[in-house]
Amino acid sequence: ALMDEKYASILVLHYLDGMSCQEIAQVMGSNLSTITTQLGRARKQAASLPAFKCLVDNNNSAVKNKINNLEDV
């Protein structure tokens, strides 16, 4: 299953573009609490994707730590 597009967008903006939740809320025309909730859901959804699990299974410790942090937040 693929990640929901709105969640993928939030992950990209936050982790790749380095935007804060407040900045994402402004760009997307949402309120801060909505973005914070969606970022949490996006992290959980990303952590369950086979591509992420494959990286973890291949013992890539740097990737494994990042993914484990996604699940913990």
Side-chain angles (χ1 to χ4, degrees), residues 10 13-14 18-28 30-40 43:
I10 291 170
L13 291 172
H14 187 69
M19 295 176 72
S20 69
C21 288
Q22 183 65 46
E23 292 169 324
I24 296 169
Q26 291 172 347
V27 167
M28 297 185 83
S30 293
N31 64 49
L32 179 58
S33 63
T34 298
I35 296 302
T36 303
T37 298
Q38 290 178 346
L39 180 59
R43 288 175 177 142

mmCIF file of all heavy atoms in Angstrom, residues 10 13-14 18-28 30-40 43:
data_model
loop_
_atom_site.group_PDB
_atom_site.id
_atom_site.type_symbol
_atom_site.label_atom_id
_atom_site.label_comp_id
_atom_site.label_asym_id
_atom_site.label_seq_id
_atom_site.Cartn_x
_atom_site.Cartn_y
_atom_site.Cartn_z
ATOM 1 N N ILE A 10 3.569 16.100 3.870
ATOM 2 C CA ILE A 10 3.988 16.632 5.163
ATOM 3 C C ILE A 10 5.361 16.081 5.545
ATOM 4 O O ILE A 10 6.221 16.827 6.028
ATOM 5 C CB ILE A 10 2.930 16.342 6.239
ATOM 6 C CG1 ILE A 10 1.669 17.174 5.950
ATOM 7 C CG2 ILE A 10 3.462 16.627 7.640
ATOM 8 C CD1 ILE A 10 0.471 16.805 6.782
ATOM 9 N N LEU A 13 7.985 17.902 3.376
ATOM 10 C CA LEU A 13 8.183 19.279 3.816
ATOM 11 C C LEU A 13 8.946 19.337 5.145
ATOM 12 O O LEU A 13 9.826 20.174 5.338
ATOM 13 C CB LEU A 13 6.840 19.999 3.952
ATOM 14 C CG LEU A 13 6.107 20.273 2.641
ATOM 15 C CD1 LEU A 13 4.708 20.811 2.919
ATOM 16 C CD2 LEU A 13 6.891 21.243 1.769
ATOM 17 N N HIS A 14 8.617 18.429 6.046
ATOM 18 C CA HIS A 14 9.237 18.460 7.372
ATOM 19 C C HIS A 14 10.667 17.919 7.359
ATOM 20 O O HIS A 14 11.584 18.576 7.846
ATOM 21 C CB HIS A 14 8.383 17.678 8.363
ATOM 22 C CG HIS A 14 8.836 17.788 9.779
ATOM 23 N ND1 HIS A 14 8.742 18.960 10.502
ATOM 24 C CD2 HIS A 14 9.395 16.874 10.615
ATOM 25 C CE1 HIS A 14 9.221 18.767 11.715
ATOM 26 N NE2 HIS A 14 9.622 17.509 11.807
ATOM 27 N N GLY A 18 12.989 20.643 5.724
ATOM 28 C CA GLY A 18 13.333 21.208 7.022
ATOM 29 C C GLY A 18 12.329 22.219 7.569
ATOM 30 O O GLY A 18 12.670 23.049 8.413
ATOM 31 N N MET A 19 11.095 22.137 7.120
ATOM 32 C CA MET A 19 10.077 23.082 7.584
ATOM 33 C C MET A 19 9.506 22.654 8.932
ATOM 34 O O MET A 19 9.360 21.465 9.213
ATOM 35 C CB MET A 19 8.945 23.180 6.558
ATOM 36 C CG MET A 19 9.382 23.775 5.225
ATOM 37 S SD MET A 19 8.058 23.778 4.000
ATOM 38 C CE MET A 19 7.011 25.066 4.655
ATOM 39 N N SER A 20 9.183 23.634 9.750
ATOM 40 C CA SER A 20 8.517 23.361 11.024
ATOM 41 C C SER A 20 7.037 23.057 10.754
ATOM 42 O O SER A 20 6.517 23.349 9.665
ATOM 43 C CB SER A 20 8.619 24.573 11.948
ATOM 44 O OG SER A 20 7.827 25.639 11.440
ATOM 45 N N CYS A 21 6.371 22.523 11.758
ATOM 46 C CA CYS A 21 4.933 22.264 11.616
ATOM 47 C C CYS A 21 4.171 23.567 11.375
ATOM 48 O O CYS A 21 3.226 23.597 10.594
ATOM 49 C CB CYS A 21 4.398 21.544 12.848
ATOM 50 S SG CYS A 21 4.935 19.833 12.969
ATOM 51 N N GLN A 22 4.592 24.632 12.031
ATOM 52 C CA GLN A 22 3.945 25.938 11.838
ATOM 53 C C GLN A 22 4.089 26.404 10.387
ATOM 54 O O GLN A 22 3.133 26.884 9.782
ATOM 55 C CB GLN A 22 4.543 26.981 12.792
ATOM 56 C CG GLN A 22 3.873 28.334 12.698
ATOM 57 C CD GLN A 22 2.415 28.296 13.138
ATOM 58 O OE1 GLN A 22 2.095 27.712 14.165
ATOM 59 N NE2 GLN A 22 1.534 28.898 12.375
ATOM 60 N N GLU A 23 5.285 26.250 9.823
ATOM 61 C CA GLU A 23 5.514 26.648 8.427
ATOM 62 C C GLU A 23 4.681 25.795 7.467
ATOM 63 O O GLU A 23 4.111 26.308 6.506
ATOM 64 C CB GLU A 23 7.005 26.525 8.082
ATOM 65 C CG GLU A 23 7.875 27.529 8.805
ATOM 66 C CD GLU A 23 9.360 27.244 8.668
ATOM 67 O OE1 GLU A 23 9.754 26.053 8.645
ATOM 68 O OE2 GLU A 23 10.128 28.213 8.595
ATOM 69 N N ILE A 24 4.610 24.505 7.740
ATOM 70 C CA ILE A 24 3.804 23.611 6.901
ATOM 71 C C ILE A 24 2.333 24.009 6.971
ATOM 72 O O ILE A 24 1.642 24.043 5.946
ATOM 73 C CB ILE A 24 3.998 22.135 7.321
ATOM 74 C CG1 ILE A 24 5.446 21.708 7.080
ATOM 75 C CG2 ILE A 24 3.029 21.226 6.561
ATOM 76 C CD1 ILE A 24 5.815 20.372 7.705
ATOM 77 N N ALA A 25 1.873 24.325 8.165
ATOM 78 C CA ALA A 25 0.476 24.749 8.337
ATOM 79 C C ALA A 25 0.186 25.986 7.487
ATOM 80 O O ALA A 25 -0.857 26.057 6.827
ATOM 81 C CB ALA A 25 0.185 25.028 9.809
ATOM 82 N N GLN A 26 1.094 26.932 7.476
ATOM 83 C CA GLN A 26 0.901 28.145 6.674
ATOM 84 C C GLN A 26 0.877 27.826 5.196
ATOM 85 O O GLN A 26 0.012 28.304 4.461
ATOM 86 C CB GLN A 26 2.005 29.162 6.989
ATOM 87 C CG GLN A 26 1.889 29.744 8.375
ATOM 88 C CD GLN A 26 3.086 30.600 8.762
ATOM 89 O OE1 GLN A 26 4.121 30.586 8.118
ATOM 90 N NE2 GLN A 26 2.924 31.351 9.850
ATOM 91 N N VAL A 27 1.816 27.000 4.738
ATOM 92 C CA VAL A 27 1.902 26.647 3.317
ATOM 93 C C VAL A 27 0.669 25.877 2.865
ATOM 94 O O VAL A 27 0.159 26.091 1.766
ATOM 95 C CB VAL A 27 3.187 25.827 3.038
ATOM 96 C CG1 VAL A 27 3.165 25.189 1.666
ATOM 97 C CG2 VAL A 27 4.415 26.703 3.200
ATOM 98 N N MET A 28 0.196 24.980 3.704
ATOM 99 C CA MET A 28 -0.922 24.113 3.331
ATOM 100 C C MET A 28 -2.283 24.712 3.681
ATOM 101 O O MET A 28 -3.310 24.119 3.370
ATOM 102 C CB MET A 28 -0.750 22.732 3.964
ATOM 103 C CG MET A 28 0.495 22.016 3.470
ATOM 104 S SD MET A 28 0.655 20.344 4.085
ATOM 105 C CE MET A 28 -0.398 19.466 2.934
ATOM 106 N N SER A 30 -3.584 25.099 6.679
ATOM 107 C CA SER A 30 -4.200 24.332 7.769
ATOM 108 C C SER A 30 -3.787 24.945 9.091
ATOM 109 O O SER A 30 -2.908 25.793 9.144
ATOM 110 C CB SER A 30 -3.725 22.879 7.724
ATOM 111 O OG SER A 30 -4.197 22.226 6.580
ATOM 112 N N ASN A 31 -4.419 24.462 10.174
ATOM 113 C CA ASN A 31 -3.973 24.943 11.476
ATOM 114 C C ASN A 31 -2.886 24.029 12.021
ATOM 115 O O ASN A 31 -2.704 22.903 11.561
ATOM 116 C CB ASN A 31 -5.145 25.121 12.447
ATOM 117 C CG ASN A 31 -5.840 23.827 12.772
ATOM 118 O OD1 ASN A 31 -5.198 22.841 13.101
ATOM 119 N ND2 ASN A 31 -7.157 23.830 12.693
ATOM 120 N N LEU A 32 -2.152 24.528 12.989
ATOM 121 C CA LEU A 32 -0.995 23.816 13.533
ATOM 122 C C LEU A 32 -1.374 22.457 14.108
ATOM 123 O O LEU A 32 -0.673 21.471 13.874
ATOM 124 C CB LEU A 32 -0.316 24.678 14.603
ATOM 125 C CG LEU A 32 0.903 24.076 15.296
ATOM 126 C CD1 LEU A 32 1.984 23.715 14.294
ATOM 127 C CD2 LEU A 32 1.426 25.040 16.343
ATOM 128 N N SER A 33 -2.469 22.380 14.830
ATOM 129 C CA SER A 33 -2.838 21.098 15.447
ATOM 130 C C SER A 33 -3.150 20.034 14.389
ATOM 131 O O SER A 33 -2.832 18.857 14.583
ATOM 132 C CB SER A 33 -4.012 21.269 16.409
ATOM 133 O OG SER A 33 -5.159 21.705 15.729
ATOM 134 N N THR A 34 -3.733 20.432 13.277
ATOM 135 C CA THR A 34 -4.013 19.486 12.197
ATOM 136 C C THR A 34 -2.715 18.926 11.627
ATOM 137 O O THR A 34 -2.575 17.715 11.431
ATOM 138 C CB THR A 34 -4.826 20.165 11.073
ATOM 139 O OG1 THR A 34 -6.071 20.591 11.618
ATOM 140 C CG2 THR A 34 -5.071 19.228 9.909
ATOM 141 N N ILE A 35 -1.754 19.797 11.379
ATOM 142 C CA ILE A 35 -0.479 19.363 10.811
ATOM 143 C C ILE A 35 0.281 18.477 11.793
ATOM 144 O O ILE A 35 0.858 17.458 11.409
ATOM 145 C CB ILE A 35 0.378 20.579 10.388
ATOM 146 C CG1 ILE A 35 -0.322 21.360 9.266
ATOM 147 C CG2 ILE A 35 1.781 20.140 9.959
ATOM 148 C CD1 ILE A 35 -0.628 20.563 8.002
ATOM 149 N N THR A 36 0.264 18.842 13.057
ATOM 150 C CA THR A 36 0.940 18.031 14.073
ATOM 151 C C THR A 36 0.347 16.627 14.130
ATOM 152 O O THR A 36 1.083 15.641 14.158
ATOM 153 C CB THR A 36 0.839 18.717 15.451
ATOM 154 O OG1 THR A 36 1.396 20.023 15.353
ATOM 155 C CG2 THR A 36 1.570 17.930 16.517
ATOM 156 N N THR A 37 -0.965 16.539 14.102
ATOM 157 C CA THR A 37 -1.644 15.244 14.101
ATOM 158 C C THR A 37 -1.300 14.458 12.837
ATOM 159 O O THR A 37 -0.986 13.266 12.895
ATOM 160 C CB THR A 37 -3.172 15.430 14.195
ATOM 161 O OG1 THR A 37 -3.473 16.084 15.425
ATOM 162 C CG2 THR A 37 -3.908 14.104 14.115
ATOM 163 N N GLN A 38 -1.357 15.129 11.694
ATOM 164 C CA GLN A 38 -1.079 14.448 10.427
ATOM 165 C C GLN A 38 0.374 13.999 10.333
ATOM 166 O O GLN A 38 0.664 12.942 9.768
ATOM 167 C CB GLN A 38 -1.467 15.336 9.252
ATOM 168 C CG GLN A 38 -2.971 15.486 9.123
ATOM 169 C CD GLN A 38 -3.395 16.402 7.989
ATOM 170 O OE1 GLN A 38 -2.591 17.149 7.433
ATOM 171 N NE2 GLN A 38 -4.674 16.352 7.656
ATOM 172 N N LEU A 39 1.297 14.774 10.901
ATOM 173 C CA LEU A 39 2.703 14.369 10.894
ATOM 174 C C LEU A 39 2.878 13.101 11.723
ATOM 175 O O LEU A 39 3.597 12.182 11.319
ATOM 176 C CB LEU A 39 3.596 15.496 11.420
ATOM 177 C CG LEU A 39 5.087 15.194 11.466
ATOM 178 C CD1 LEU A 39 5.637 14.844 10.082
ATOM 179 C CD2 LEU A 39 5.840 16.392 12.044
ATOM 180 N N GLY A 40 2.215 13.015 12.852
ATOM 181 C CA GLY A 40 2.270 11.800 13.660
ATOM 182 C C GLY A 40 1.724 10.597 12.912
ATOM 183 O O GLY A 40 2.318 9.510 12.936
ATOM 184 N N ARG A 43 4.210 9.579 10.193
ATOM 185 C CA ARG A 43 5.345 8.819 10.732
ATOM 186 C C ARG A 43 4.980 7.353 10.929
ATOM 187 O O ARG A 43 5.740 6.458 10.568
ATOM 188 C CB ARG A 43 5.778 9.414 12.075
ATOM 189 C CG ARG A 43 6.475 10.737 11.968
ATOM 190 C CD ARG A 43 6.736 11.282 13.359
ATOM 191 N NE ARG A 43 7.479 12.524 13.313
ATOM 192 C CZ ARG A 43 7.275 13.545 14.114
ATOM 193 N NH1 ARG A 43 6.320 13.492 15.035
ATOM 194 N NH2 ARG A 43 8.002 14.631 14.011
#
